Amino acid sequence: MGRTLFLALGIFLTIACSVTGLVILPNWQFQGLKPVTKKDGVKYPMPYFGDNHKGRAEYISHGCIYCHSQQVRMKGYGADIRRGWGTRRSVPRDYIYDYPHQLGTMRTGPDLANIGARQPSRDWHSLHLYDPQITSPGSVMPRFYYLFDEVKQGESPRAGAIKVPDGYPNRGSVVAIVPNERGEQLIAYLKWLNQSFPLPEAQQ
Amino acid sequence: MNVVNSPTEEIRARIEADSSARVVVTLYWASALFWLTFATLAGLISSIKLHSPDFLNYEWLTFGRIRPVHWDTAIYGFGGLAASGTLLWLQARLCQVKLPFRGPLIIGGILYNLGMVLGVIAVLAGYSTGVETLEFPVWAMTFLVLPFVVIVIANFTMYARKKTQHTYVSQWYLMAVTVWFPVLVLSAEACINFGAVDGVAQAIANWWYGHNVVGLFATPTGIAAAYYLIPKVIGKPIHSYHLSLVGFWTNAIFYNWAGTHHLTGGPLPAWTITVGVVGSMMMFIPVITIGINHHMTMLGSFHLLKTSPTLRFAVMGSMMYTVASFQGSLEALRTHQEVTHFTHYTIGHVHLGMYGFFAPLMFAMMYYAMPRLMRQEWSSARLIRIHFWCTLVGTALYGGAMCFAGVKQGLMMNDPAIPFLKVVEFTIPFLQLRTLAGLILLSGTMAFLINFGRMMARHKLTFADPTLFTSERNWDALLEEEQKV
């Protein structure tokens, strides 16, 4: 029995060490991270609120993370910055309000850490989510048509509708699209994603 | 302690252990095969979607939902149940005791399956937690964790009652699984889904878990199976006891720390990544020692691969363990990650590990144990042959296509002069090859399912000899004969 106990304790110790090292310690290290106040008095980062908060839930629910990362690697490591995915590397402070985190480990599609800065237009996001082939021909992203109401030919125009371009081959009788509630929320979240504020620790 | 002395007593103890485990282990393995088929189908759908995005494009089946369902059913459904069945059967056999708590274990198996169904529906309906490999909501995960309480208690009970004097290598690994898995899942759930940890620290905890659920659960069970099956089938002892000791403890110490390489280049302090890289490099020690032990035991017995289905799957598994582990360690290096991180290379590696190493060892286990549990032989050697070649060819094609495409994809992404959509365009033929590999793997699974199903149907087909690759068995003729009797 003594040997069994030794075996079980030894095994337990191995995992206890790594829980301490990789779960508890990092949490301690980052617990004190606070937002910084910009010159205009606005804080960065800011907690998610309203539509961008709900949009984040849509992002998670549709599993965007399985193709899109949200992290910019530092200059000289990969080509994230040269590709224009960000102006600086991402740092822990950028993520203090991220729960659950959506850092991602796959780039079947481009990084989205700064998509709000790169694509600030609601129209672009709407067309891209409705059918990626409109804005990015050759993309393998699925069409998120269920996040939109379609305005067909002959129907009365609607406020906030976005015209589907004439050259779009699959338009059928659809002349315009309007993001539904979930669509608007997801777009609000995507437009919110922006790490361009130059945090001091990201300059080192 | 009752020590078994004579060979007849030992055989009797073995038969008693087998018949006591019949219902429980068969339930676990049959469910594991169901989830393997489900996971393979979900993987196939995900794969097709990546080159033909309009395929089954409904909200519930969108790539971002069917893809996590694929992984969760593969690791928890197939992996969890196949490994639990292996654990219970192997421990009962090696301790030469009857399987205890059979009633609770059966209820546990049913609860586990229920949890899987709930989890799959939750993710497809959009209620994923958003944390990779822990997508199932806590209420579904609970059904997966509860049965483990019984499995852990059963394991320790068998160990305490064991009638053998020594402890075999496989038993160390099984013991380790039962200590690690509860700690792993409970701390991950507590820290990730109950909100004790957030932001970047959550990402570290996430990948500590994501890497360890493979390394501290699937891997040890796979190694335990290889340590049991290879010497058993060829009738030679393990090459070196001392090496297995070194292999076990170095694996236990270093694997734990390797997970953070999944975040290389990410917004984390350098020390966390360095720890992951060091852990991954140190893994060369257990991998090499375990490799030497398995392969040196096989040395001189390779001709048996021609006849024994169990051995063929077990050796494929143990060889792929060496290959996939070397690949994994090198992959953790920063220079390597600069190219292959965020690409299909990682996906290729995971499949080499799960479908090249873990799954064949579980298949080997089932091919070996099922005839002993059911007291009935496999009906068709041809179906086993089809299963084997589909597994080997499918995994090789999958791993080859994805790893090659991944390197090129990474190099292209690191060249900002190449537009992103050109990178996507480059990967498409390889993604189509992957779909082909998925189809091959699915065909193999189907062949196994037919053989397994026939055994379940319990036609009283008894054979004097085991089914080997050299056996010629004709199912139809046998059925006819049975009807005459």
Side-chain angles (χ1 to χ4, degrees):
Chain A
M1 205 59 211
R3 283 181 75 99
T4 313
L5 201 65
F6 173 76
L7 182 67
L9 267 179
I11 291 166
F12 177 75
L13 267 181
T14 58
I15 197 163
C17 287
S18 79
V19 177
T20 315
L22 294 180
V23 181
I24 300 172
L25 279 183
N27 201 41
W28 266 347
Q29 189 177 354
F30 299 122
Q31 239 167 15
L33 274 183
K34 295 271 177 318
V36 291
T37 310
K38 297 195 263 186
K39 274 183 196 136
D40 55 6
V42 182
K43 287 196 163 134
Y44 177 85
M46 257 164 64
Y48 299 97
F49 62 93
D51 267 5
N52 65 46
H53 183 66
K54 289 180 190 144
R56 191 163 199 273
E58 289 300 326
Y59 185 94
I60 290 165
S61 156
H62 288 97
C64 306
I65 190 177
Y66 300 100
C67 288
H68 295 281
S69 58
Q70 288 189 17
Q71 47 174 309
V72 179
R73 294 187 287 181
M74 65 180 169
K75 207 174 158 187
Y77 192 74
D80 300 14
I81 293 174
R82 283 184 293 156
R83 270 198 183 273
W85 288 342
T87 47
R88 61 163 175 87
R89 71 183 163 99
S90 306
V91 290
R93 203 188 300 271
D94 289 315
Y95 301 93
I96 52 177
Y97 295 115
D98 279 24
Y99 180 83
H101 82 93
Q102 293 289 297
L103 287 181
T105 51
M106 190 66 192
R107 283 178 180 167
T108 305
D111 187 84
L112 298 181
N114 287 288
I115 190 66
R118 287 160 51 209
Q119 297 287 359
S121 142
R122 173 174 169 272
D123 289 9
W124 186 90
H125 279 294
S126 299
L127 292 172
H128 180 243
L129 287 168
Y130 175 70
D131 188 347
Q133 306 303 329
I134 301 176
T135 52
S136 322
S139 163
V140 291
M141 183 168 125
R143 295 181 295 120
F144 292 94
Y145 58 88
Y146 42 81
L147 298 177
F148 296 89
D149 297 334
E150 290 168 342
V151 182
K152 302 260 166 70
Q153 218 146 22
E155 287 178 6
S156 52
R158 281 176 54 181
I162 297 126
K163 195 176 161 291
V164 175
D166 295 328
Y168 173 52
N170 300 327
R171 62 181 292 173
S173 58
V174 179
V175 282
I177 49 167
V178 191
N180 59 23
E181 195 186 359
R182 295 193 301 156
E184 290 286 10
Q185 289 165 349
L186 181 58
I187 293 168
Y189 171 64
L190 292 170
K191 284 168 69 182
W192 179 257
L193 287 174
N194 187 340
Q195 296 182 349
S196 51
F197 177 73
L199 284 173
E201 67 266 36
Q203 312 306 318
Q204 295 159 12
Chain B
M1 197 193 291
N2 292 324
V3 177
V4 178
N5 291 319
S6 71
T8 33
E9 268 181 65
E10 196 177 320
I11 289 170
R12 187 182 305 137
R14 209 178 278 164
I15 292 172
E16 273 182 8
D18 283 355
S19 42
S20 70
R22 179 181 300 140
V23 180
V24 175
V25 175
T26 309
L27 169 71
Y28 280 48
W29 281 348
S31 334
L33 285 188
F34 168 78
W35 288 111
L36 175 68
T37 317
F38 188 94
T40 313
L41 268 174
L44 194 60
I45 295 173
S46 316
S47 175
I48 295 172
K49 279 169 174 287
L50 270 197
H51 52 76
S52 312
D54 271 334
F55 178 72
L56 296 177
N57 192 14
Y58 310 106
E59 178 167 4
W60 277 47
L61 291 176
T62 192
F63 180 82
R65 293 189 186 172
I66 193 79
R67 150 74 174 77
V69 161
H70 159 63
W71 171 237
D72 289 342
T73 48
I75 185 73
Y76 298 120
F78 169 64
L81 286 161
S84 304
T86 300
L87 189 148
L88 294 171
W89 181 77
L90 207 50
Q91 194 68 290
R93 243 202 177 209
L94 288 169
C95 294
Q96 297 183 356
V97 293
K98 282 188 189 168
L99 183 65
F101 310 120
R102 291 186 289 275
L105 282 171
I106 291 170
I107 298 171
I110 294 166
L111 278 183
Y112 195 98
N113 279 303
L114 183 68
M116 288 299 304
V117 172
L118 290 175
V120 167
I121 294 173
V123 174
L124 290 181
Y127 295 100
S128 160
T129 63
V131 179
E132 282 181 80
T133 61
L134 279 173
E135 284 93 351
F136 288 180
V138 177
W139 46 265
M141 266 319 252
T142 312
F143 285 99
L144 269 62
V145 178
L146 281 181
F148 266 95
V149 179
V150 191
I151 293 172
V152 172
I153 296 172
N155 182 52
F156 279 101
T157 310
M158 284 190 277
Y159 200 78
R161 289 181 188 164
K162 81 181 160 88
K163 292 184 183 143
T164 49
Q165 273 173 316
H166 69 285
T167 305
Y168 187 61
V169 196
S170 296
Q171 288 171 289
W172 308 339
Y173 283 95
L174 299 179
M175 191 79 144
V177 173
T178 47
V179 176
W180 283 332
F181 194 68
V183 180
L184 189 63
V185 174
L186 291 179
S187 25
E189 283 292 344
C191 295
I192 298 174
N193 281 334
F194 285 104
V197 170
D198 49 18
V200 165
Q202 192 194 31
I204 303 173
N206 184 185
W207 283 105
W208 169 81
Y209 175 79
H211 196 73
N212 283 352
V213 75
V214 175
L216 300 185
F217 184 63
T219 307
T221 324
I223 298 174
Y227 265 124
Y228 179 76
L229 291 172
I230 295 174
K232 193 83 185 168
V233 175
I234 66 176
K236 281 198 310 198
I238 272 292
H239 175 68
S240 159
Y241 169 80
H242 295 283
L243 276 187
S244 46
L245 205 59
V246 174
F248 175 77
W249 284 110
T250 45
N251 185 63
I253 293 167
F254 299 126
Y255 208 126
N256 278 286
W257 294 88
T260 50
H261 66 238
H262 284 274
L263 295 161
T264 311
L268 315 157
W271 72 264
T272 49
I273 307 292
T274 306
V275 162
V277 177
V278 172
S280 305
M281 284 298 117
M282 294 303 278
M283 278 304 291
F284 272 120
I285 302 172
V287 167
I288 290 171
T289 43
I290 293 168
I292 291 175
N293 238 355
H294 290 169
H295 308 322
M296 289 301 281
T297 307
M298 265 309 285
L299 207 66
S301 304
F302 282 104
H303 61 281
L304 293 174
L305 290 178
K306 268 189 235 153
T307 49
S308 166
T310 302
L311 191 66
R312 216 187 264 184
F313 276 102
V315 169
M316 173 185 170
S318 71
M319 286 191 165
M320 285 308 296
Y321 173 68
T322 311
V323 174
S325 302
F326 268 64
Q327 184 196 23
S329 286
L330 292 175
E331 206 178 333
L333 291 172
R334 280 193 172 87
T335 328
H336 197 303
Q337 284 287 61
E338 182 177 2
V339 177
T340 59
H341 193 30
F342 301 121
T343 70
H344 293 298
Y345 188 93
T346 318
I347 312 291
H349 169 67
V350 172
H351 284 80
L352 285 178
M354 282 299 287
Y355 224 113
F357 152 61
F358 176 71
L361 276 161
M362 291 302 108
F363 297 150
M365 211 63 215
M366 294 177 195
Y367 278 120
Y368 183 82
M370 281 307 289
R372 285 159 177 84
L373 291 169
M374 303 297 285
R375 300 222 189 104
Q376 186 180 325
E377 263 303 331
W378 296 103
S379 66
S380 160
R382 193 206 274 164
L383 285 173
I384 307 181
R385 208 176 295 127
I386 294 173
H387 184 207
F388 177 76
W389 287 109
C390 285
T391 307
L392 184 69
V393 173
T395 312
L397 182 64
Y398 194 115
M402 287 296 95
C403 291
F404 175 78
V407 172
K408 191 80 205 290
Q409 182 193 6
L411 289 171
M412 286 171 90
M413 274 206 279
N414 283 351
D415 179 356
I418 300 172
F420 193 84
L421 283 166
K422 282 271 173 239
V423 185
V424 174
E425 195 188 318
F426 159 79
T427 58
I428 286 177
F430 296 95
L431 298 172
Q432 287 164 337
L433 264 185
R434 187 222 334 236
T435 299
L436 177 66
L439 275 172
I440 297 174
L441 290 173
L442 186 65
S443 318
T445 311
M446 287 301 153
F448 191 28
L449 270 185
I450 295 171
N451 235 351
F452 200 92
R454 281 172 178 180
M455 190 177 264
M456 290 293 95
R458 287 189 74 85
H459 289 281
K460 292 188 187 69
L461 300 173
T462 41
F463 303 110
D465 55 323
T467 305
L468 301 174
F469 283 123
T470 42
S471 317
E472 280 178 26
R473 294 223 150 118
N474 187 332
W475 175 255
D476 297 322
L478 285 163
L479 271 188
E480 248 169 58
E481 226 167 85
E482 190 200 18
Q483 278 156 5
K484 271 181 217 158
V485 177

